[in-house]
Every structure is written in C-alpha cells, then in structure tokens.
Amino acid sequence: MYFYQDFVIRNWQESDRLFAAKVISSVLLEYGLPWQPEEADKDVLNIEEYYLATGGEFWVIENQNQIVGTGAYYPINRGEKAVEIRKMYLLPKVRGCGLGKFLLQQLETVIILRGFEQIWIETASILAEAVKLYESNGYLPTTGVETARCDRIYVKYL
C-alpha cells in the first residue's frame, strides 16, 4: 500500500472489479477511444488470470473511499526479463497533482525489486498527458504496437 497526498494506492480486490472497469472505460470514452471488453480490455474483467496468476500486480487508487484510478503490470514475452505496464488511468478530477508520476515511480520500483530489466508501455497519441509522462521519465519510442487502439510503444531499460 502506498500513500500520496489524500490518495491510497492498494492491491486490487475482487470487489473492485466493476469500479476499476468503470474508471478505465470512462477515461477511454473521454478521449474517444473504444472500451473493448472482448479484446484490449478483457484483462480488466479477469484480473486473476491476466495479472495475479502471471506474476503481475493490479492496483487501484482510492480517494475518499472511491476508486479514481488504476495501474498494473504483468510479465511479457518481449525483450529480456520484461513487463508491460498497463491500465494506468486516472479520472480527470485527480489529474495534474503529480499522482500519475508517483504511480509510475511506484510501479517501476516494484518491477525493479522483482528483478525485471525492461518495461514496455503501449499508448495512444491522443493520450497526450500519458505520452508526456512516459517520455519525461526515460521511456524510449520503439516499434511493435500490438493493441489496435494504440499507435505508440515505449521501452525503458532498467
């Protein structure tokens, strides 16, 4: 569990499933991107299989007992000892206070402690805040986007 200002970042629990999905789908909708529960977002509805069973983690961010964001990672077969950071979404009302950067740093710290050597992130250009966050924190543009709604991919070597 991590604390940042009035926010609590904690491990996902089964009772969070629909709340986390709602946060993610609403942010996608805000940017005109599709919520794809059968494709790119199927992991959100099955955290146990995609994250917990594979050695990943899925976190939720709470503020005043409401889920206002998510962040996660899981190991991938790409590169060397690699993970992909996924589902980093914050509701509009909690953006701009440094929470995204803090969340990214906490994810990176845990990933490093677990012995991983590369972090991959896919995103969409329209998510300008996310692009700026990744680029300003040492993520390098590369090639090989696998998710249809994404047009950018980054890697960071640890």
Side-chain angles (χ1 to χ4, degrees):
M1 191 174 304
Y2 304 94
F3 299 93
Y4 180 80
Q5 296 176 5
D6 295 335
F7 302 97
V8 176
I9 301 170
R10 62 169 176 79
N11 287 324
W12 175 92
Q13 301 167 0
E14 194 173 340
S15 60
D16 298 328
R17 187 180 322 273
L18 294 179
F19 297 105
K22 186 175 180 184
V23 166
I24 293 166
S25 63
S26 71
V27 173
L28 289 168
L29 182 62
E30 172 191 351
Y31 286 92
L33 296 170
W35 163 250
Q36 300 173 314
E38 305 297 323
E39 297 170 29
D41 300 308
K42 63 185 174 193
D43 57 325
V44 176
L45 301 175
N46 198 344
I47 304 294
E48 297 89 343
E49 177 185 346
Y50 285 90
Y51 296 91
L52 309 184
T54 64
E57 295 185 57
F58 195 102
W59 299 346
V60 296
I61 299 98
E62 282 186 335
N63 180 247
Q64 299 174 341
N65 295 316
Q66 289 190 322
I67 294 177
V68 296
T70 60
Y73 72 91
Y74 56 51
I76 57 170
N77 293 319
R78 178 185 260 178
E80 188 71 27
K81 292 186 180 177
V83 298
E84 181 176 352
I85 287 181
R86 296 182 51 82
K87 306 307 180 201
M88 243 185 86
Y89 291 101
L90 298 174
L91 291 178
K93 66 182 178 183
V94 300
R95 294 183 201 143
C97 67
L99 179 60
K101 182 175 182 176
F102 179 83
L103 176 61
L104 182 62
Q105 290 170 340
Q106 299 315 304
L107 286 165
E108 289 178 352
T109 299
V110 169
I111 289 165
I112 290 167
L113 289 173
R114 297 203 45 213
F116 293 102
E117 297 176 3
Q118 296 178 7
I119 301 174
W120 294 73
I121 298 177
E122 290 191 10
T123 192
S125 294
I126 196 165
L127 300 171
E129 299 97 329
V131 169
K132 183 179 175 188
L133 176 67
Y134 303 141
E135 290 180 352
S136 66
N137 281 277
Y139 287 82
L140 307 171
T142 187
T143 56
V145 173
E146 296 176 346
T147 306
R149 71 174 174 229
C150 295
D151 62 354
R152 289 179 180 245
I153 186 166
Y154 293 92
V155 65
K156 183 172 185 175
Y157 300 98
L158 306 171

